[in-house]
């Protein structure tokens, strides 16, 4: 797999017009486990290989891809670009490809971690209620090396609907990777398990989401504790924010940990009206509401520490998200350097009089009814929302409401342009900054766009 990806990077874009991606990831191909010396993996990564494997996103970041542009269509086994340009009516699709992909020089084509339910395509067709086919486009742009964002989009099997999630890792990509690999499958599992006991649809979905998030936390806890006790203290700082949206009929179910955000954009609203509604609250220590909540629970503790005035606030002076997966140093005493090992060995100074958990892995959940004119769901990691406001994104959506590809192209271009201006650089200059170093200028950017047409 590594060899194939490397060769793809070295070949021109024309490669993508006459070759399929099927050769990159064969369905039955197993990733060979390499030694730490061969793969450059840390001991923690080695442990996580029992639960996860580096997916296409990780490989792309490691080998130099900067961004992905992906469109989802189900019920096929691989991403076949050649079929996108076959037939008599292929002129529009070819022009679409040139308009979307070629101007974004950092995008090397349509590529993704393959499974039996995904395909890349260009073009459009009628949308079917509760079916994921051709509803979703997404774009991801790396700042970290490797990228720490992950995403998941799939059709649910045990309820008539579909799910999308973005996972914003911090302290490493490992937990975001694990969540990407198992969260949606866990949700589907619990929907099936609970459906005889819970008749109300809202309760069924929300209970299943809670149980699935709990499972992800527990799975990582087992691996992380082993690594921590083996002498790898950085695992205590690995965490991930997460935002999940499940669409069933005329409802959107959201579950959130941390500071990723999502909005539903109404394309019928007049220009002077608010055209969007939030699907989640931002759960970090900069939120006054979260500060009040934490201080009410830990009234006799220095729970929120702010720096630069009140602009940057942290739980116990260590972490901005007030809810997340992982980040076990703020949750469990066993990750709080209980043996007082020297800091020169990588262990953090223990929190005195530990009263954790200070942060939670229980997602904040909400339910929204899709109203007339509610056309698009946009969710993204905070790398997107650092650069663009909800109002700016809703205007882009309204302006390009009949073309998903144009929407996501403009969202990406304007977010990158804002990052460039903030750092007194041109758009071209910021693109040339290498991965890793780019993180000082902006965060990883992941944006998922879901067309809700036909759901009402």
């Amino acid at each position: 797999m590594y060899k194939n990806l490397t060769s793809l990077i070295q070949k021109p874009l024309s490669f993508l017009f006459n070759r399929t991606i099927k050769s990159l990831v064969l369905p039955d191909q197993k990733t060979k486990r390499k030694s730490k010396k061969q793969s450059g993996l840390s001991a923690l990564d080695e442990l996580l290989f029992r639960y996860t494997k580096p997916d296409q996103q990780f490989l792309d970041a490691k080998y130099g891809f900067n961004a992905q542009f992906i469109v989802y269509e189900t019920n096929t086994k691989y991403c076949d670009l050649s079929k996108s340009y076959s037939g008599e009516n292929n002129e529009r699709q070819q022009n679409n490809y040139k308009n979307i992909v070629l101007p974004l020089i950092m995008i090397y084509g349509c590529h993704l971690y393959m499974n039996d339910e995904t395909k890349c395509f260009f073009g459009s067709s009628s949308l079917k209620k509760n079916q994921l086919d051709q509803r979703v486009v997404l774009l991801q742009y790396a700042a970290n090396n490797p990228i720490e964002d992950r995403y998941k989009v799939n059709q649910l099997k045990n309820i008539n609907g579909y799910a999308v999630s973005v996972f914003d890792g911090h302290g490493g990509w490992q937990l975001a990777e694990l969540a990407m690999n198992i969260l949606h499958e866990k949700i589907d599992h619990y929907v099936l398990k609970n459906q005889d006991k819970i008749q109300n649809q809202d309760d069924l979905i929300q209970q299943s989401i809670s149980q699935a998030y709990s499972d992800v936390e527990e799975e990582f806890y087992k691996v992380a504790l082993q690594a921590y006790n083996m002498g790898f203290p950085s695992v205590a700082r690995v965490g991930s924010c997460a935002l999940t949206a499940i669409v069933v009929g005329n409802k959107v179910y959201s579950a959130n940990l941390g500071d990723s955000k999502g909005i539903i954009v109404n394309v019928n609203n007049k220009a002077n009206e608010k055209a969007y509604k939030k699907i989640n609250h931002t759960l970090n220590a900069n939120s006054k509401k979260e500060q009040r909540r934490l201080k009410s629970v830990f009234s006799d503790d220095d729970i929120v520490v702010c720096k630069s005035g009140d602009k940057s606030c942290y739980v116990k002076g260590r972490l901005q998200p007030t809810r997340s997966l992982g980040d076990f140093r703020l949750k469990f005493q066993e990750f709080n350097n209980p043996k007082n090992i020297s800091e020169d060995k990588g262990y953090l100074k223990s929190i005195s009089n530990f009263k954790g958990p200070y942060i939670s892995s229980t997602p904040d959940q909400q339910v929204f009814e899709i109203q007339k004119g509610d056309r698009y769901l946009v969710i993204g990691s905070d790398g997107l929302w650092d650069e663009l406001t909800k109002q700016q994104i809703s205007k882009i959506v309204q302006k390009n409401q009949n073309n998903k590809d144009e929407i996501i192209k403009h969202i990406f271009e304007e977010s990158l342009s804002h990052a460039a201006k903030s750092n007194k650089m041109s758009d071209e200059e910021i693109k040339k900054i290498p991965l890793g170093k780019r993180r000082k200028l902006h965060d990883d950017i992941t944006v998922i766009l879901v067309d809700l047409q036909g759901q009402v």
Side-chain angles (χ1 to χ4, degrees), residues 319-335:
L319 184 73
Q320 282 200 327
T322 54
R323 298 196 200 190
S324 72
L325 294 166
D327 295 304
F328 293 140
R329 61 177 173 152
L330 289 172
K331 292 178 179 176
F332 305 113
Q333 177 64 28
E334 54 266 39
F335 290 90

Side-chain angles (χ1 to χ4, degrees), residues 285-301:
N286 289 334
S287 164
K288 298 299 182 183
K289 182 178 180 180
E290 283 296 279
Q291 289 181 12
R292 290 192 296 269
R293 182 185 66 81
L294 286 170
K295 290 176 181 178
S296 68
V297 177
F298 302 96
S299 56
D300 58 345
D301 203 335

Side-chain angles (χ1 to χ4, degrees), residues 24-50:
L24 295 180
V25 183
L26 298 176
D28 296 326
Q29 183 178 355
K30 296 183 178 179
T31 304
K32 294 183 179 179
R33 181 173 175 174
K34 299 183 178 182
S35 69
K36 287 183 285 186
K37 183 176 181 181
Q38 289 175 311
S39 63
L41 298 173
S42 69
L44 173 60
D45 299 333
E46 285 285 307
L47 284 170
L48 285 172
F49 256 91
R50 291 177 300 167

Side-chain angles (χ1 to χ4, degrees), residues 1-13 15-16 24 56 59-66 108 111:
M1 183 189 297
Y2 290 9
K3 182 178 179 180
N4 286 336
L5 285 170
T6 305
S7 66
L8 173 58
I9 296 170
Q10 295 171 344
K11 292 183 179 181
L13 276 172
F15 173 88
L16 295 172
L24 295 180
Q56 190 73 38
L59 296 176
D60 291 347
K62 186 171 183 180
Y63 284 96
F65 282 113
N66 294 335
Y108 287 78
H111 52 282

Side-chain angles (χ1 to χ4, degrees), residues 118-148:
T118 57
K119 176 186 175 181
C120 304
F121 78 101
F122 296 95
S124 63
S125 68
S126 59
L127 302 177
K128 296 180 181 180
K129 185 175 182 178
N130 295 326
Q131 297 301 305
L132 186 63
D133 286 34
Q134 306 182 21
R135 287 188 180 277
V136 176
V137 293
L138 68 87
L139 193 146
Q140 188 171 68
Y141 188 73
N144 287 293
N145 187 17
I147 188 171
E148 294 180 335

Side-chain angles (χ1 to χ4, degrees), residues 302-445:
D302 189 16
I303 184 64
V304 177
V305 178
C306 295
K307 303 174 183 179
S308 302
D310 290 332
K311 294 182 179 180
S312 299
C313 299
Y314 303 82
V315 179
K316 298 297 290 183
R318 290 165 169 81
L319 184 73
Q320 282 200 327
T322 54
R323 298 196 200 190
S324 72
L325 294 166
D327 295 304
F328 293 140
R329 61 177 173 152
L330 289 172
K331 292 178 179 176
F332 305 113
Q333 177 64 28
E334 54 266 39
F335 290 90
N336 188 36
N337 194 9
K339 297 180 181 179
N340 291 317
I341 301 174
S342 173
E343 292 182 49
D344 60 12
K345 293 185 179 181
Y347 286 83
L348 296 177
K349 183 179 180 181
S350 61
I351 299 173
S352 59
N353 193 24
F354 186 86
K355 297 178 182 178
Y358 298 104
I359 60 174
S360 170
S361 62
T362 301
D364 178 53
Q365 298 196 53
Q366 298 186 59
V367 184
F368 299 88
E369 287 193 5
I370 301 172
Q371 305 296 326
K372 184 178 180 180
D374 286 348
R375 178 66 187 275
Y376 289 102
L377 169 66
V378 183
I379 71 172
S381 58
D382 70 335
L384 170 68
W385 306 101
D386 286 344
E387 310 303 336
L388 296 179
T389 67
K390 302 177 188 71
Q391 186 65 34
Q392 287 173 317
I393 289 178
S394 67
K395 286 182 178 179
I396 294 172
V397 171
Q398 287 191 313
K399 185 178 180 180
N400 302 279
Q401 60 184 268
N402 294 318
N403 192 322
K404 294 189 289 290
D405 303 341
E406 283 295 316
I407 291 172
I408 207 161
K409 168 190 168 184
H410 286 296
I411 287 175
F412 172 70
E413 288 180 335
E414 291 195 22
S415 62
L416 196 63
S417 180
H418 181 271
K421 291 178 182 177
S422 298
N423 290 282
K424 299 180 179 180
M425 303 172 71
S426 69
D427 293 2
E428 292 303 317
E429 287 174 331
I430 201 168
K431 293 174 188 176
K432 295 177 182 178
I433 304 299
L435 290 173
K437 292 183 179 180
R438 189 184 300 157
R439 179 61 184 87
K440 296 179 180 179
L441 308 177
H442 64 81
D443 203 351
D444 297 328
I445 297 173

Side-chain angles (χ1 to χ4, degrees), residues 231-245:
F232 300 97
S234 62
V235 67
R237 303 191 293 275
V238 175
S240 180
C241 298
L243 175 58
T244 298

Side-chain angles (χ1 to χ4, degrees), residues 254-268:
S254 72
N256 181 52
L257 296 174
D259 48 20
S260 296
K261 299 176 186 177
I263 58 174
I264 296 172
V265 181
N266 190 297
V267 297
N268 290 348

